[in-house]
Amino acid sequence: MSYLVLDRISKRFGGFSALSNISLSVERGTARAVLGENGAGKTTLMNVLFGLYRPTEGSIQIDGKAVSFRSPADAIINGVGMIHQHMHLAEALTVTENIVLGLGGLHSPLNLRRHSAKIAALSERYGLAVEPDQPVWKLPIGMRQRVEILKMLYRGAKILVLDEPTSVLAPNEIDSFLERVKALRDDGTTILFVTHKLDEVMRIADAVSVMRHGQLVAERDIGHTDVRQLSRLMVGRDVEPVRIPRLAAPGDPVLECVDLVARGERGLTALDRVSLTIRQGEILGVAGIDGNGQSELAEIICGLRKPESGSIRAGAAEITGLGVSARMRGSRIGFVPEDRHGTGLVLDHSIATNFVLRSFRRRPVSRLGLINARFIAEQARRMMKRYDVRSRSPAQPARELSGGNQQKIILAREIEAGPEILIVMQATKGLDVGAIEFVQRKILEARDRGVAVLYISTELEHVAEVADRIAVMHRGRFTGEVLPGQATAEHIGLLMSGLSVGEQR
Amino acid sequence: MSFLPDISLIAVLLASGVRLATPIGFAALGGVLAERSGVYNVGLEGMMLWGAFGAAAGTYLTGSPVAGLVAGVLLGAVAGLLLALLCVGLAVNQLVAGIAINLLCAGLTAFLARALFGLAGGGTAVSGFASLPVPYLSGLPLIGTALFNQDPLVYMLPVLVAVVTICLYRTQAGLRLRAAGESPRAADSAGVNVTAVRYVSLALSGAFAAAGGCHLVLCQVYIFSEGMSAGKGFIALAAIILGRWHPVGAVVAALFFGLCDALQLQLQFSNPLVPYQIFLILPFAASLVALVWFNKGARQPAATGMVFDREAR
Ligand SMILES: Nc1ncnc2c1ncn2[C@@H]1O[C@H](COP(=O)(O)OP(=O)(O)O)[C@@H](O)[C@H]1O
Ligand SMILES: [Mg+2]
């Protein structure tokens, strides 16, 4: 009998069935990849294994013994550890405090200094740089992910669940991290590696289970499969990247930023003399690891943040000193923010209301200060059709929609406002293949209408799919600019980690 | 009255300020524990009253103020557990639950006091704690009386503050409590029982607030009267914010309010022609002004006020 057995697990949230009848057996000391698109139910399944969700049906056995986890504490006692996709960290506490939280008896003194030293040693050994005494809120996302990983490594576990652990690591960090995971497996740890990245599956796993729509659709030994087959199993069809050939050559410069300097938290330099130009009908892609100044750049261009120095021109107008609403109206900047839930939408308001967040002051959405509900409802229906927003009705709260549909609402609102400049951050993050394709198509169509697009993303492959030029950011600077199709992923990866090509040799 | 403040007058003012600050300090310390673990304790006022009643009843029935103190503190812990049951166990809105506790305690203590002590609860004095002057130190000029000629509960407060501070910042238990208030999700998935942490901190919170009430009865007026907490529990809420959710800060803020109160009393006595209600406003006005003034950069624990549901998104 296998070491870990998940037996006919089902999980329903209200009426929605997130997992149906999933059975999985994993041998001791092997690495099992769990592959699936976003929304397939991977995290839900792992949360069941870690005691975060009680399964609606089904049971779990470890080492031949039936176990029932009422909480993560139960799972931890039974040797299960988990790295969470959406990090479970207390932001006001320091890195060390987060790592030692829950360890040892209640009365035991914390002895943070000793732990800090041990954590520093561990982070050195695993090549995961962190600052043990900093509060987590001050750290960039990538470093938080490393804290989440260290937290688990520090505890040790017999069964290790890794839920998309590499999503915010740099390419070179991913390599050494995967090596470490392999080493843990070779030491006898049983690994469940959740991902939607096919190459990681091939590199790390002994076997792979593929999930789609809450069901287990296939199981393969790594020796008996390949990337192409896995991709088809995961998506349910063959995928072709979108490519809309451009209609016209880029026109005159529309957005020009010169020597932008900005400070982030802790007064560190977030932008270090960044300059860029985007022409009419051109997409400038910005690639880079999260937290290297991309957010600050986007916020400064939209007017959400003030630069220390530098200037921004939109067309002929200097807009450096203008506020957000002036920029949105005057020079027509559209913004698809990184934080869909916090900045992009009012989650508890209806889809229809979310469509008019930009335009509610103006005719015909409102007249003499009164909202025109009928127009808003009609417009919502039109936009939902055009942008393929799937929901029961325009009155449904945005919170209830899937990530893809939420993103389409934001995109529709910003593009239909008719901007000359469109700033798009993490447009495709967390979306399924269908939604990614749709979002990219809409952005490319906007480009063809002459919009100048700044496309910022940490997902390099998606940047490469839509951008005309790719600028790579590291520590608040552009470390290089490449043309898609002419640079290897490796080359871009090096630029992302701040190494110029010369230093490589 | 001379405009040059007289040194003995200041010494008296300080001494009565410290005494008046003590109940607020106890309640604020309790409030810090509750809010640090993720639950607003708006019921401090009621719990204080409840503790005052417990102290009076316990002393009246046994003749021993120590027994009264124990009774008051235990009743406070029970009230804290009730709040935990409501807003941790049953996920009732924390502000509503706290207000309910205040109303319940006001009504219940009034009723029980009449049953126990007779009409209008008035008249029945109980014994209490006398001052315990510290040899030599109590003779110091200016601060001698204020700090070293006080009742045992006044001496207990700084000790408790030190213990709470050390527990909060230097032990695993304290780390768990802080984590429960900052991110119950993180605490939960690190194996911490968030529900248990919150129950325990609310029980402690109630006990501390009640100890403040005990001080009113056993060290200040030796009698229970209806509504005798008179807003001190609400001032304690302000002290928590002013003290930035830190035990030491909260008690220092309580001291500030106590001094305002002492000043207010002094002004009442020296200006008998002015309606005394005007001076009564002083501590509340001071708390308002202080909150507005010092509010910048204050950040409450991130999860305070929110219900933790493991399966919610
Ligand atoms: N706590 C929850 N409440 C309601 N629905 C949920 C919850 N967690 C997940 N879901 C739904 O279950 C489905 C699977 O989600 P998830 O397990 O996060 O997918 P994956 O990790 O594969 O991307 C999604 O449709 C999601 O909306
Ligand atoms: Mg997931």
Side-chain angles (χ1 to χ4, degrees), chain A residues 206-225:
Chain A
D206 301 301
V208 51
S209 302
V210 186
M211 290 180 69
R212 203 190 314 146
H213 301 312
Q215 288 173 329
L216 197 67
V217 292
E219 242 172 35
R220 296 280 185 280
D221 279 334
I222 285 303
H224 294 119
T225 190

Side-chain angles (χ1 to χ4, degrees), chain A residues 38-39 41-44 85-86 163-164 194:
Chain A
N38 285 299
K42 307 180 297 291
T43 297
T44 305
Q85 177 183 12
H86 304 288
D163 193 359
E164 315 230 5
V194 175

Side-chain angles (χ1 to χ4, degrees), chain A residues 235-294:
Chain A
V235 183
R237 62 191 163 87
D238 283 313
V239 266
E240 300 291 332
V242 246
R243 264 274 143 202
I244 301 183
R246 58 164 50 262
L247 299 178
D252 298 332
V254 177
L255 176 70
E256 283 175 282
C257 299
V258 182
D259 283 340
L260 290 176
V261 174
R263 285 182 194 287
E265 314 294 356
R266 278 188 286 164
L268 289 184
T269 307
L271 288 185
D272 187 6
R273 280 175 291 129
V274 168
S275 302
L276 60 86
T277 303
I278 310 179
R279 295 162 175 282
Q280 202 177 18
E282 183 186 44
I283 301 182
L284 174 65
V286 174
I289 299 149
D290 221 342
N292 275 290
Q294 298 98 316

Side-chain angles (χ1 to χ4, degrees), chain A residues 360-426:
Chain A
F360 68 92
R361 283 166 201 262
R362 264 166 286 137
R363 285 165 169 269
V365 181
S366 65
R367 255 172 299 176
L368 305 170
L370 293 178
I371 293 284
N372 182 349
R374 202 162 72 216
F375 175 83
I376 292 177
E378 274 164 19
Q379 174 187 275
R381 230 164 269 126
R382 265 200 319 274
M383 303 248 275
M384 283 170 67
K385 192 178 262 171
R386 195 173 315 156
Y387 282 80
D388 190 32
V389 178
R390 288 177 214 168
S391 84
R392 287 197 310 270
S393 88
Q396 196 175 3
R399 182 184 294 283
E400 294 177 7
L401 304 189
S402 74
N405 284 306
Q406 291 175 338
Q407 185 71 318
K408 287 179 196 167
I409 297 175
I410 302 174
L411 202 68
R413 178 182 72 217
E414 299 302 317
I415 291 183
E416 295 300 310
E420 286 152 19
I421 299 166
L422 184 63
I423 316 289
V424 193
M425 264 205 99
Q426 300 289 25

Side-chain angles (χ1 to χ4, degrees), chain A residues 75-112:
Chain A
I76 292 168
I77 290 169
N78 281 280
V80 183
M82 178 161 173
I83 293 177
H84 304 274
Q85 177 183 12
H86 304 288
M87 287 154 265
H88 291 186
L89 298 172
E91 297 195 355
L93 303 184
T94 66
V95 170
T96 304
E97 285 176 326
N98 268 287
I99 292 177
V100 303
L101 175 61
L103 291 179
L106 280 180
H107 302 289
S108 53
L110 274 182
N111 215 337
L112 289 176

